[in-house]
């Protein structure tokens, strides 16, 4: 464990989070923002868990094809935040992006609800035989358009909601330190309600009501957020973030033959007045050429601005691009964690097991993810409210795990979950064959589904360490002007992870069928070998953990760790 740093406060110095002079912002705005975040999660996560059952049973899709559709939908939902983040930080501001995202999400859920309520909007299925006609092109277009709208809306909300809430807080209040855990707990609570209540409605009442409740939640979420519009601090970007980053690349290329002076002084670099960066860092020194003033008369105007920003950039621009480049390797370590977490085959496994909690009550297969959320919430509460205060009291100073350390522990817990999943699947498949269900993919074996609980507990611990650690790491390592981008990078990793999961499943499906054998990820999971598939994922995620260790070492000290070292030196100087 390491002492907490003052990096958070140092970062706040770059662009203050103070309440505006007209009295806007502050804690009073957080209930509306957090309600919007939580209700969106209730709605979206209430749709996701059972979607593979909707596609296979209502639309008659094969499980592999349905999984691919869900992977692509999830990938789009996690990729659009980065696009929306650049729009928010460069052109539109965060409030318009969140408002648009709320409305578009509502429209997407409304269209999905129509597919469940209008018989002509979905393929005909014979309830007696279970046979479904193949969906027509218009029916698929309607279904996919709902996914597209929900992906765009969710992307807008994920990209800006967290950063927008941080904009409302007073820098001196100290609330920002616990803000990210608070928001993640609110999101988790929303997921908890969605995975339990809404999935239960879908399973016991029907798809029309099960899809209608998320529509109502999203409508209320939008109204709640927009109703507090007069209270918000609505900052607008002063320049285009994307353009600024490109300018650094162009300026560096133009000055590629320039020699960087061996002795640096801040006078040779172009920087904004009041900037915390007077000189560029030694990392990625070739980019420093972009902010070197080679001829002040030609490159600067009378008021000290760059006459051509494509030839001369500020130190802030250079450091922003450097920060973004440096975190890419560490960001990439979250991709395979997303592969391990977002497996729709988990639901198919549960659907084939005994899910009775009592003789009369059966837990829906899609609701088992609730255990993940509960373990995540419990861990965050224990970490923030019990473990840290206790350890800090024992050591006599405030103590916490560094963000990079939490990211690494999260990857390890993901490997534990895959080991547990593979072991349970091996035993479940053996029991299905023993009971004579090898040719019946819809048969329920006598093995209790509650043997899968360790998987969800480990996944919850993985999320509690890795997800919160990543979001905080990106937010505090990147410049203040890139806050929306920073909070969207985690979602982007999830997006790439879903694409990677789809790619891995396709490779496994094609490879395992070589020679006429049964696919490991067959629709009939009793004939397939999902356990082999899970062991393969374990090997990949464990190799990813080793890759994380290399990336963490090569990254060097983060702002948090550098501040810790500085504080330790100051303490030693005082003692001596």
């Amino acid at each position: 464990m390491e002492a907490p740093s003052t990096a958070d406060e140092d970062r706040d110095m770059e662009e203050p989070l103070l309440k505006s002079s007209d009295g806007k912002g502050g804690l009073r705005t957080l209930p509306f923002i957090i309600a919007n975040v939580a209700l969106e999660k209730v709605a979206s996560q209430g749709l996701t868990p059972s979607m593979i059952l909707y596609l296979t049973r209502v639309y008659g899709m094969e499980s592999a094809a349905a999984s691919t559709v869900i992977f692509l939908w999830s990938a789009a939902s996690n990729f659009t935040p980065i696009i929306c983040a650049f729009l928010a930080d460069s052109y539109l501001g965060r409030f318009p992006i969140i408002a648009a995202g709320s409305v578009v999400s509502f429209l997407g859920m409304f269209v999905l609800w129509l597919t469940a309520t209008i018989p002509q909007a979905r393929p005909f299925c014979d309830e007696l035989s279970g046979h479904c006609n193949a969906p027509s092109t218009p029916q698929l277009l309607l279904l996919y358009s709902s996914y597209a709208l929900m992906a765009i809306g969710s992307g807008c909300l994920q990209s800006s909601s967290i950063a927008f809430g941080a904009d409302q807080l007073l820098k001196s209040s100290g609330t920002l330190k616990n803000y990210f855990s608070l928001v993640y707990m609110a999101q988790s609570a929303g997921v908890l309600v969605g995975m339990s209540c809404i999935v239960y409605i879908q399973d016991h009442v029907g798809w029309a009501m099960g899809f209608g409740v998320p529509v109502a939640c999203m409508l209320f979420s939008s109204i709640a957020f927009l109703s507090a519009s007069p209270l918000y601090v609505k900052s607008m970007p002063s320049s285009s973030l994307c353009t600024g980053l490109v300018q650094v690349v162009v300026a560096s290329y133009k000055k590629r033959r320039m020699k960087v002076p061996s002795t640096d002084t801040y006078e040779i670099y172009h920087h904004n007045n009041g900037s915390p960066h007077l000189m560029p860092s030694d990392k990625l020194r070739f980019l420093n050429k972009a902010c070197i003033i080679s001829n002040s008369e030609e490159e600067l105007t009378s008021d000290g601005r760059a006459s051509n920003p494509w030839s001369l950039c500020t130190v802030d621009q250079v450091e922003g691009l450097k920060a973004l480049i440096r975190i890419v390797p560490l960001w990439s370590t979250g991709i395979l964690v997303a592969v391990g977490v977002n497996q729709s085959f988990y639901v198919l496994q549960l659907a084939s097991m005994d899910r009775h909690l009592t003789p009369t009550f059966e837990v829906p297969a899609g609701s088992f993810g609730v255990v993940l959320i509960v373990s995540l919430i419990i861990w965050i509460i224990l970490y923030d409210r019990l473990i840290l205060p206790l350890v800090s009291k024992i050591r006599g100073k405030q103590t916490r795990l560094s963000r990079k350390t939490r990211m690494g522990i999260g990857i390890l817990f993901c490997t534990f979950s895959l080991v547990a999943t593979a072991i349970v699947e091996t035993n479940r498949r053996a029991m299905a064959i023993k009971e004579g269900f090898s040719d019946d993919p819809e048969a329920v074996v006598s093995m209790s589904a509650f043997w899968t609980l360790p998987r969800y507990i480990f996944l919850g611990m993985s999320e509690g360490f890795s997800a919160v650690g990543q979001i905080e790491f990106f937010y505090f390592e990147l410049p203040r002007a890139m806050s929306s981008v920073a909070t969207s990078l985690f979602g982007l990793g999830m997006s790439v992870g879903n694409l990677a999961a789809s790619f891995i499943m396709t490779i496994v499906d094609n490879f395992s069928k070589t020679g006429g054998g049964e696919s490991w990820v067959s629709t009939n999971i009793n004939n397939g070998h999902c356990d082999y598939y899970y062991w393969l994922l374990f090997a990949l995620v464990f190799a990813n953990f080793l890759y994380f260790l290399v990336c963490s070492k090569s990254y060097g000290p983060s702002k948090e760790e550098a501040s810790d070292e500085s504080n330790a030196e100051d303490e030693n100087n005082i003692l001596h």
Side-chain angles (χ1 to χ4, degrees):
M1 285 191 171
E2 304 170 5
S5 69
T6 57
D8 301 359
E9 289 83 354
D10 292 341
R11 183 183 183 282
D12 288 335
M13 293 288 289
E14 297 178 17
E15 185 179 325
L17 277 174
L18 299 176
K19 186 164 61 176
S20 61
S21 58
D22 57 3
K24 294 184 178 182
L27 292 173
R28 60 180 178 171
T29 61
L30 291 190
F32 300 97
I33 297 171
I34 292 177
N36 179 259
V37 169
L39 286 172
E40 190 276 333
K41 287 298 179 183
V42 171
S44 62
Q45 296 303 313
L47 296 174
T48 304
S50 298
M51 189 57 66
I52 191 170
L53 300 179
Y54 184 65
L55 294 180
T56 54
R57 295 176 181 177
V58 177
Y59 278 78
M61 294 185 182
E62 295 291 327
S63 59
S67 295
T68 300
V69 170
I70 295 171
F71 278 141
L72 294 176
W73 172 35
S74 183
S77 299
N78 288 303
F79 177 74
T80 49
I82 201 70
I83 298 175
C84 295
F86 273 105
L87 291 174
D89 284 346
S90 300
Y91 303 106
L92 303 177
R94 290 166 192 146
F95 176 79
I97 290 291
I98 299 173
S102 300
V103 174
V104 173
S105 288
F106 166 74
L107 292 176
M109 293 176 189
F110 181 76
V111 173
L112 181 65
W113 174 71
L114 292 180
T115 67
T117 55
I118 302 176
Q120 294 78 10
R122 60 183 184 275
F124 171 76
C125 287
D126 189 336
E127 295 183 0
L128 296 178
S129 65
H131 172 73
C132 293
N133 294 336
S136 65
T137 300
Q139 289 170 341
L140 287 176
L141 285 175
L142 186 65
L143 177 69
Y144 295 158
S145 66
S146 71
Y147 292 157
L149 289 171
M150 287 189 289
I152 294 171
S154 176
C156 291
L157 292 170
Q158 290 181 55
S159 69
S160 300
S161 293
I162 297 178
F164 185 69
D167 288 345
Q168 314 303 316
L169 300 177
L170 288 170
K171 183 181 67 174
S172 59
S173 68
T175 310
L176 191 59
K177 294 180 180 178
N178 297 320
Y179 169 69
F180 294 98
S181 293
L182 175 64
V183 173
Y184 208 81
M185 284 183 62
Q187 290 179 327
S188 300
V191 175
L192 179 66
V193 174
M195 285 186 171
S196 56
C197 299
I198 294 181
V199 170
Y200 182 86
I201 293 172
Q202 293 167 357
D203 197 59
H204 289 79
V205 180
W207 296 111
M209 181 63 71
F211 289 168
V213 174
V215 172
C217 288
M218 201 62 233
L219 177 61
F220 182 77
S221 171
S222 303
I223 294 173
F225 177 78
L226 295 173
S227 65
S229 176
L231 303 178
Y232 299 137
V233 172
K234 302 172 185 175
S235 57
M236 293 296 293
S238 58
S239 61
S240 171
L241 172 62
C242 189
T243 301
L245 298 178
V246 176
Q247 285 173 342
V248 175
V249 177
V250 173
S252 299
Y253 178 78
K254 286 182 177 181
K255 297 181 176 181
R256 62 190 181 279
R257 293 185 177 86
M258 175 188 291
K259 292 184 178 180
V260 179
S262 57
T263 304
D264 285 353
T265 57
Y266 74 90
E267 290 90 353
I268 69 172
Y269 296 107
H270 178 50
H271 47 76
N272 295 322
N273 293 331
S275 168
H277 302 293
L278 297 180
M279 295 174 59
S281 63
D282 290 332
K283 301 285 186 180
L284 303 172
R285 282 178 61 85
F286 65 93
L287 292 175
N288 292 356
K289 298 176 182 180
C291 58
I292 294 178
I293 304 172
S294 58
N295 188 324
S296 59
E297 294 182 358
E298 294 181 359
E299 294 184 322
L300 296 177
T301 62
S302 58
D303 59 353
R305 297 178 181 272
S307 56
N308 182 3
W310 294 93
S311 297
L312 179 64
C313 302
T314 64
V315 176
D316 288 349
Q317 286 178 280
V318 172
E319 289 304 299
L321 181 60
K322 284 183 180 182
L324 190 60
I325 293 174
R326 288 185 63 212
I327 67 172
V328 167
L330 277 172
W331 164 81
S332 67
T333 62
I335 293 174
L336 282 176
V337 176
V339 173
V341 172
N342 298 319
Q343 288 294 321
S344 55
F345 267 85
Y346 292 159
V347 178
L348 293 180
Q349 182 192 54
L350 288 163
S352 68
M353 302 174 74
D354 180 12
R355 292 172 278 113
H356 283 90
L357 187 62
T358 68
T360 58
F361 179 75
E362 185 179 49
V363 180
S367 292
F368 274 75
V370 166
V371 179
L372 184 158
I373 306 304
V374 170
S375 62
L376 186 153
I377 293 175
I378 291 175
W379 165 249
I380 291 178
I381 294 174
L382 289 177
Y383 179 73
D384 283 339
R385 302 300 177 189
L386 180 62
I387 297 176
L388 288 185
L390 181 61
V391 175
S392 297
K393 184 176 182 180
I394 293 173
R395 297 189 64 189
K397 60 180 180 179
Q398 287 188 320
T399 306
R400 66 190 301 118
L401 288 171
S402 71
R403 296 171 188 126
K404 285 199 296 183
T405 300
R406 281 184 279 161
M407 290 164 62
I409 294 174
I411 298 174
L412 273 182
F413 271 109
C414 185
T415 64
F416 299 159
S417 73
L418 290 167
V419 169
T421 302
I423 292 174
V424 169
E425 176 58 20
T426 299
N427 286 277
R428 187 211 63 79
R429 182 177 182 276
M431 185 169 292
I433 295 174
K434 181 180 178 180
E435 295 177 356
F437 296 141
S438 58
D439 295 325
D440 187 358
E442 296 187 3
V444 176
V445 301
S446 58
M447 183 177 182
S448 173
F450 294 96
W451 283 106
T452 64
L453 293 186
R455 167 178 70 207
Y456 291 106
I457 293 173
F458 286 137
L459 285 176
M461 297 291 286
S462 175
E463 287 275 291
F465 278 105
S466 182
V468 178
Q470 283 188 66
I471 293 173
E472 288 188 10
F473 180 80
F474 300 146
Y475 185 86
F476 288 108
E477 288 298 302
L478 290 179
R480 180 85 188 110
M482 302 174 69
S483 293
S484 293
V485 174
T487 55
S488 301
L489 284 174
F490 174 72
L492 179 62
M494 297 287 286
S495 172
V496 179
N498 280 284
L499 294 177
S502 178
F503 175 76
I504 292 170
M505 178 173 289
T506 301
I507 295 296
V508 169
D509 186 40
N510 293 333
F511 177 79
S512 57
K513 288 190 296 188
T514 303
E518 187 76 22
S519 170
W520 290 1
V521 290
S522 170
T523 300
N524 184 348
I525 63 173
N526 296 331
N527 271 342
H529 263 294
C530 286
D531 50 345
Y532 293 172
Y533 174 60
Y534 296 137
W535 282 118
L536 172 64
L537 293 181
F538 160 75
L540 293 174
V541 176
F542 184 76
N544 181 62
F545 172 71
L546 301 179
Y547 169 64
F548 167 83
L549 296 179
V550 174
C551 293
S552 179
K553 184 175 181 179
S554 63
Y555 185 86
S558 63
K559 291 181 180 179
E560 174 187 27
E561 293 163 339
S563 183
D564 289 344
E565 293 175 3
S566 176
N567 291 340
E569 289 179 3
D570 291 342
E571 289 178 5
N572 289 332
N573 291 335
I574 292 173
L575 291 174
H576 289 86

